[in-house]
Amino acid sequence: MYETTYHRAGSVADAAAKLAGAEEAKILAGGQTLIPTMKQRLAAPSDLIDIRRLDELKGIEVAGGTVTIGAGTAHADVANSDAVNGAIPALATLAGLIGDPHVRHMGTIGGSIANNDPAADYPAAVLALGATVTTTKRTIAADDYFQGLFETALDDDEIITRVSFPVPAKAGYAKFPNPASRYAMCGVFVAQMADGSVRVAVTGAGNNGVFRHEGMEAALAANWSVDAVADQTVSADDMIGDMHGSAEYRANLVTVMAKRAVAAAG
């Protein structure tokens, strides 16, 4: 790894100040992506600002039809939360499918969506549920937040503090994991919101990262059933193709996982 300066932030405000004052700093939350990337010399931040121990970034609250999760909350805490399981079971299911126990106890929701890996699980939930991302500077709607592979609307000196999910009428998530990494080769999150609108988000498969499937949304709005999405497809031209699966394979997985997600939602 390249030489870097480590800082342990005493508060969110302290972390923001250190981030703004450094030449090329990175926030260290769970470190499940950043540390391996640094070991491979694909990232060389001048400063690492550790926010893992900040209690103000942790916690889960359900109030007013919204589930709010602190950015520093670990995946395992989301998966095992009675509050999340009661309000949005599909979100708890998604968190429980991330990686292995080590990753789930170290990785955080804020770190996941800040990195916006195209094979990450949380972006599908954030986009499908129309969540709001709150940072040290502003709030960002999910539809405006994700902007391509590893790209988000975050400014360089911005830190995610919490994510707020509207409680849907029903929702489901299904993914086909890579057998080694457990990353999603394709994951589909479906949600029927309280107002009756439908949102469907796909992760792990698209060339440009997480995306909404408008055809499935329209089909499910007219008829919420597995059959409604059975004939919905995506073009292989828009899919990732690699050693783990061809673009055509992933295109087929989108429909298969969508059917399973609808079945899981009930």
Side-chain angles (χ1 to χ4, degrees):
M1 296 189 341
Y2 296 103
E3 181 178 345
T4 187
T5 301
Y6 172 84
H7 309 267
R8 182 182 294 181
S11 65
V12 173
D14 180 40
K18 285 180 167 62
L19 183 62
E23 178 183 353
E24 191 174 341
K26 289 288 187 182
I27 293 293
L28 179 64
Q32 297 306 287
T33 298
L34 179 58
I35 298 302
T37 301
M38 292 176 64
K39 286 181 177 179
Q40 296 174 62
R41 300 200 171 192
L42 297 175
S46 62
D47 298 77
L48 282 179
I49 302 168
D50 190 345
I51 61 172
R52 182 168 181 80
R53 294 169 179 81
L54 299 182
D55 289 339
E56 61 186 300
L57 289 176
K58 301 177 182 180
I60 298 168
E61 180 183 7
V62 180
T66 302
V67 175
T68 301
I69 303 176
T73 305
H75 311 321
D77 293 331
V78 177
N80 297 324
S81 166
D82 290 338
V84 177
N85 275 283
I88 314 178
L91 184 58
T93 296
L94 178 149
L97 294 173
I98 297 174
D100 56 25
H102 172 87
V103 170
R104 290 193 291 274
H105 282 84
M106 290 291 292
T108 65
I109 184 172
S112 176
I113 66 172
N115 187 52
N116 191 22
D117 190 295
D121 294 275
Y122 270 123
V126 172
L127 191 56
L129 290 169
T132 299
V133 178
T134 300
T135 76
T136 47
K137 297 170 66 175
R138 54 183 170 151
T139 59
I140 310 170
D143 287 325
D144 299 323
Y145 179 79
F146 300 105
Q147 300 187 352
L149 299 180
F150 299 103
E151 295 291 334
T152 71
L154 292 175
D155 293 335
D156 290 340
D157 61 346
E158 204 165 6
I159 302 172
I160 298 172
T161 57
R162 62 185 181 273
V163 187
S164 300
F165 298 87
V167 176
K170 61 179 69 176
Y173 180 66
K175 83 167 179 177
F176 190 90
N178 180 297
S181 67
R182 314 307 292 173
Y183 272 113
M185 289 180 61
C186 176
V188 179
F189 199 109
V190 300
Q192 183 184 80
M193 306 309 292
D195 63 1
S197 62
V198 174
R199 297 172 67 97
V200 177
V202 181
T203 191
N207 275 330
N208 203 36
V210 65
F211 65 93
R212 289 175 63 181
H213 194 301
E214 295 180 357
M216 289 185 180
E217 291 177 348
L220 288 172
N223 173 27
W224 183 276
S225 70
V226 172
D227 291 341
V229 296
D231 62 351
Q232 296 290 319
T233 61
V234 296
S235 171
D237 293 340
D238 300 325
M239 297 293 102
I240 296 171
D242 57 23
M243 63 182 291
H244 303 295
S246 67
E248 291 76 14
Y249 184 67
R250 279 189 169 86
N252 182 65
L253 280 178
V254 172
T255 301
V256 174
M257 293 302 109
K259 291 164 63 177
R260 293 182 185 180
V262 174

